[in-house]
Amino acid sequence: MERQQYAQQCSELFAVGGYAAVRKTARAGIEECGPDPVLLRWLGQAHAAEDEDDHDREAEAAYRQGLALAPDDLGLLVSYWELCLRSDSFDHPHRARRAVTMQEKIEQLAPPGSPERRRVDDAVGWAGRGYWDDVTAGAVRGQVEQEVLAEQSVLVTDALRRAARDGVRPDTGEDLRAAELAAAVELLQGSRNAPLRLLLAHRAGAYVVTFLASFSLNKALVWGGVVRFSLWGWLLWIPLLAAEAKLRQAKRLGQQRVIERMQARHEEARDRTPSAG
């Protein structure tokens, strides 16, 4: 296959979070077509997305190899700069130094308003945050996650009702959201999961009732002299947390299935396409 085809496959897999699959595809492209800046950038990004020290080292190696081939490649420069910027300056002082020089080079090469310049501006704003900014950002992320779970609960409840009514399992293909919903319906089927389905169908009310019940139980145990300090009421949160764990499991399962379908399609494309030599 051509380099562009490998790069397109990497882009598709990266978009659905298939970072291991991106690395496999990028390496296959490099092995077949030779070292290429674009494929090395995808390889580096797929390592960097894991946010682990070992992967960061592999990402840095890929970026540096790519920049040796194309020193002015903006995609590589910005990706490597982002890696250096988020690295601990105490553990990796060389990355902190490189971040300064690379930012200067990027600002020279990237015109104002370009995607690369916007990435730099966004990352600079992120890197300049203080402690309370991080706390606020963490709270916002938590709120967003809860909103996503609330929306997913509604969608899953509707999907469960359709499945019970029609009895047809739709072909979700490579649609990530549809695959996640199909996985949730599959995981929540059966009488043993009926309580979890009920909690998800009335998620907001379940949160209120669970909070009041757990708070009341803790107070009753303390006021009744059973214990001096009670955490037993928190056990009442287990069913609700189990229901949300099912949603997270479905999200992972749906993602895995979409990645596998993409990989199967890519394998078919590689089998049909003659080698680039």
Side-chain angles (χ1 to χ4, degrees):
M1 287 199 317
E2 298 292 334
R3 290 179 174 86
Q4 294 86 345
Q5 292 172 289
Y6 278 109
Q8 178 61 32
Q9 291 179 0
C10 288
S11 176
E12 293 175 0
L13 290 165
F14 194 90
V16 296
Y19 305 130
V22 173
R23 295 193 292 271
K24 180 180 178 181
T25 301
R27 290 191 185 103
I30 292 169
E31 182 178 349
E32 180 178 343
C33 306
D36 177 74
V38 175
L39 293 178
L40 286 165
R41 173 170 59 83
W42 280 118
L43 179 60
Q45 286 183 317
H47 276 296
E50 303 288 0
D51 198 18
E52 297 176 359
D53 285 344
D54 290 342
H55 281 288
D56 284 351
R57 283 191 288 271
E58 294 291 338
E60 183 174 23
Y63 291 148
R64 297 189 69 174
Q65 185 180 356
L67 287 170
L69 298 172
D72 294 337
D73 187 293
L74 274 173
L76 278 167
L77 283 168
V78 174
S79 297
Y80 189 14
W81 175 77
E82 287 174 335
L83 173 67
C84 292
L85 193 67
R86 67 176 174 81
S87 296
D88 190 299
S89 59
F90 181 79
D91 294 332
H92 306 282
H94 65 286
R95 291 180 186 167
R97 291 192 296 269
R98 286 199 183 100
V100 176
T101 58
M102 281 193 294
Q103 183 175 347
E104 294 173 353
K105 186 171 185 178
I106 292 167
E107 289 175 348
Q108 292 174 357
L109 295 173
S114 64
E116 291 81 6
R117 181 63 70 87
R118 286 196 294 271
R119 283 175 63 184
V120 170
D121 293 340
D122 291 343
V124 168
W126 167 82
R129 292 186 317 199
Y131 172 77
W132 289 112
D133 294 321
D134 287 338
V135 171
T136 302
V140 171
R141 284 195 300 271
Q143 182 179 357
V144 170
E145 182 179 357
Q146 286 301 313
E147 290 174 354
V148 169
L149 285 174
E151 180 185 6
Q152 192 177 7
S153 297
V154 174
L155 294 174
V156 168
T157 299
D158 291 341
L160 284 165
R161 289 170 179 162
R162 287 195 301 271
R165 183 182 65 248
D166 303 332
V168 178
R169 182 175 297 181
D171 180 12
T172 59
E174 295 178 5
D175 186 323
L176 185 58
R177 175 62 68 88
E180 291 171 357
L181 285 177
V185 170
E186 179 182 328
L187 292 174
L188 289 165
Q189 293 285 4
S191 57
R192 61 180 294 183
N193 289 313
L196 302 185
R197 295 197 297 270
L198 180 63
L199 290 173
L200 291 174
H202 306 281
R203 185 174 179 273
Y207 260 92
V208 173
V209 171
T210 302
F211 172 77
L212 293 175
S214 63
F215 181 80
S216 300
L217 177 58
N218 286 332
K219 286 296 184 182
L221 291 174
V222 173
W223 290 344
V226 179
V227 292
R228 290 186 177 181
F229 179 75
S230 173
L231 293 176
W232 289 103
W234 294 109
L235 295 176
L236 299 177
W237 287 93
I238 290 177
L240 190 54
L241 295 177
E244 295 194 344
K246 283 284 187 182
L247 295 183
R248 294 187 177 92
Q249 182 184 357
K251 189 176 182 69
R252 292 191 298 270
L253 180 58
Q255 180 189 49
Q256 178 185 343
R257 288 173 174 172
V258 168
I259 292 169
E260 289 173 353
R261 290 165 189 161
M262 281 188 176
Q263 286 182 297
R265 175 168 58 82
H266 294 166
E267 287 291 340
E268 291 179 5
R270 283 196 282 271
D271 291 341
R272 291 195 304 267
T273 306
S275 174

